[in-house]
Amino acid sequence: MVKVNVHESHPNIVKRLRRAEGHLRRVIGMFDEGRSCLDLAQQLHAVEKAVGEAKRTLIHDHVDHCLDLAVSGPGKSTRTVVDEFKAISKYL
């Protein structure tokens, strides 16, 4: 795997994902405990929201920094920048 530059938001995203990971492990334990479907659905929703927020933060950071730099700096063509934006925005 090629390592790319780390953005300021990446450590916070990793923290958020680690919390979501722990929460997901707890939800799995709730299944083993026979918790109610309502409790399970609520907790799964919370995990889903946490992961979704991490994804949104990553994409917004990419748009704010990477694409802005690509547009204003040398290197990538406008077409490449637009294609990259289209590709990443489908994950929002």
Side-chain angles (χ1 to χ4, degrees), residues 67-83:
L67 293 182
D68 187 45
L69 181 63
V71 168
S72 63
K76 294 182 181 179
S77 71
T78 302
R79 182 87 229 133
T80 301
V81 172
V82 169
D83 289 345

Side-chain angles (χ1 to χ4, degrees), residues 8 23 34-35 62 80 86 88 92:
E8 283 184 34
H23 198 107
R35 298 286 292 269
H62 181 74
T80 301
K86 286 179 182 179
I88 200 165
L92 284 173

